Amino acid sequence: VLILGLSGSFNTVEELLVPGLPRGFFHDSAAVLVEDGRVVCAVEEERITRVKHTHTFPLNAAERCAAQYGVRLSEIDEVAFFFGENFLDDRMADFALGAPDMPITGARRRIHELLGEQLAPERIHFVQHHSAHAASTYYDSGFQQALVLVMDGSGEEDSVSVYQAGQGGMELIRNISESKSLGQFYFHATRFLGFQLFDEYKVMGLASYGDASTFRGTFRKLYDLGPDGSYSFDYRRMDQTLRSEGIAPRRRGQGITSEHCDFAAALQETLEVIVTHMVGAVAKETGERNLCLAGGVAQNCTLNGRLAASGLFDAIFVHPASHDAGAALGAAVHRAAEVAPVKSRRRRTMSLGTPIGSAEEIQSLLDTWAGHVRYERCADIAGEAARLIADGAVIGWAQGRAEFGPRALGQRSILADPRPEENKTRINAIVKKRESFRPFAPAVLAEHAAEYFDLPNTAIDSEFMTFAVRVRESHRPTLAAVTHVDGTARVQVVHREDNELFWDLIRAFADESGVPVVLNTSFNNDAEPIVDSAADAVRCLLTTALDALAIGPFLVRKVADEPSGHRLVPVLLPTSAIRVMPETSGAVRYEVYERAQPFDGRRTVRIAAQAFAALTASEGFPSTEITPPGVDLELVEPELRKLWESRLIDLVPTRAADRPAEGS
Ligand SMILES: [Fe+2]
């Protein structure tokens, strides 16, 4: 049985069914294809539309999954959606009251329409949100018997759900209301520190710099612990309580003070206290020794590390896609388990997405960039890449099928030497261009993991960067670029049988340097999600200061533009548009703006008339009423390059045949 799991909203880039959908209502759209309970393909919509955390309906991802598996959407047996039907219908009816133009369409009908009416409405199934998260982590854990803890912003009504899972399926044994949401707790404190949704990981990183005792008393006023593992808390009163305690919210752009770090430390400690209290009581009550985690809060690798060190469990499995994209996976597996028994099998890899392509496909792509890149085909790409890294290079690494989930795990990674501390600032300057309160993560050969890291006695799935563990004291000076201020690291343990090419690279780096560890961070710049396709990887190489790109068997470097090269022409992205805005003076201004950017606010950039004309005239762009004046691409190139770097437009090489002959 083929089941397509989906997460996302009912909006598309072109059509906002729900206008003004609140930020964070739905996010992390994805499609996951499951055959007889086994995941065969999983893709996040953001990787294709190139809009981070996008909530738009995952049609591109669904089509990618179907194509990858060699079927049409109409050939899929069932769809499983990541929220309950009544909940969705109620919410849409609520939205419709505030938006009289919005058609009243039930979730089932809307999904049917969005999938091009290729699947009969009765083949669409709905899975309760926390059941979907729970199924993702239980069926991927390999545990036969386990407690399953789901914590996120909220599902339909609950924000925490605890299940007891075994051969007979999953039984809900505790559920905690939305008002006690630990996801909301962390998010509201994140806002107090001047950050926004999806910045929670920055606050977690900041916490290690602070002293929790400064604000422990303040945070203590927010909650109480019950003897049975329960807790009282109400996030709706939290902001007011913090303000009444004299805490001033930090404004964006204000410096980070030691008080802010102390606040973050108390926040992190509070989360750990409440979760340990709750889960400890349930473990005692049920006698369960295995724990599975999922939901957005399970992305807190410091919390996960604390749980692993607590000794409460023999084994802990944190799902590598604990965010809502993972609920698409879980919805499909949950439905599969209703159709036929599914066995829990330990997941070894998240390499479930878009393939990078054959050597021939990559080479023909690279050839279109002649004059902008040069490349060589290597017999041993892992060895070549390792030598470059050992010589101080920071490289892009794109191999095999892309990872599903928020972490790059050696398929779409930026790699560097983990030893020099300055590599932290260097990589931030080269590509990330943002404040980072956590250093980059280490990927270590499994054979040497215990030598460098103090792994807990509790068995953990250490392959997915979901736990912060202690770097052994003696190795902290060696691993300066990947050790956090508190001596921990978000480690990835690499087994040869799971990812041979990446293992070979680290092995070769160890031969060069004596250290079986590389620095691994996601392959993207600050304006985009992780690269997915070969074209994305080349674009990222050309728009950042990366030293090289290892893609398939090819080692690729930038060259200064040569006149023999293909000329670059600008094209608008599906998510951006241009417009002419009148000014009060009677003049006009030209702008490029984002059409569908749900989260970071829609970016608008003023551009010169010539750049506007270049975009208007670009191939494939529908004609506008503005007649483009003569366009001199060279004149506007610096401006176009800036827009390219910020991913508001694309620059693509003209095909050789389209290039006017010399001197014409
Ligand atoms: Fe969720």
Side-chain angles (χ1 to χ4, degrees), residues 129 133 152 324:
H129 188 61
H133 275 306
D152 63 3
D324 276 0

Side-chain angles (χ1 to χ4, degrees), residues 27 82-83 129-130 133 150-155 295-296 322-324 327:
H27 41 80
F82 78 138
F83 265 95
H129 188 61
H130 281 191
H133 275 306
V150 175
M151 301 177 286
D152 63 3
S154 75
S322 277
H323 60 334
D324 276 0

Side-chain angles (χ1 to χ4, degrees), residues 48-60:
I48 304 176
T49 63
R50 312 302 300 151
V51 177
K52 276 194 253 189
H53 297 294
T54 189
H55 67 177
T56 55
F57 188 78
L59 187 59
N60 294 289

Side-chain angles (χ1 to χ4, degrees), residues 1-5 31-42 65 68-71 75-78 140 328-329 331-337 339-343 345 347 352 401:
V1 183
L2 266 187
I3 300 174
L4 183 69
V32 178
L33 194 59
V34 164
E35 182 190 33
D36 300 331
R38 199 174 53 89
V39 178
V40 291
C41 190
C65 283
Q68 177 66 22
Y69 189 69
V71 292
E75 294 173 273
I76 285 165
D77 297 307
E78 294 186 354
D140 273 349
L329 185 155
V333 175
H334 190 277
R335 176 61 195 155
V339 175
V342 173
K343 205 169 161 308
R345 262 180 302 208
R347 173 160 298 289
L352 300 164
R401 293 179 73 177

Side-chain angles (χ1 to χ4, degrees), residues 386 445 447-448 501-512 515-518:
L445 294 181
E447 293 78 354
H448 297 278
L501 193 62
F502 192 40
W503 188 94
D504 286 346
L505 180 145
I506 307 172
R507 177 71 262 164
F509 179 77
D511 292 342
E512 297 282 326
V515 178
V517 181
V518 297

Side-chain angles (χ1 to χ4, degrees), residues 129-153:
H129 188 61
H130 281 191
S131 301
H133 275 306
S136 73
T137 185
Y138 171 63
Y139 288 106
D140 273 349
S141 71
F143 302 147
Q144 297 319 307
Q145 193 70 35
L147 275 184
V148 182
L149 174 61
V150 175
M151 301 177 286
D152 63 3

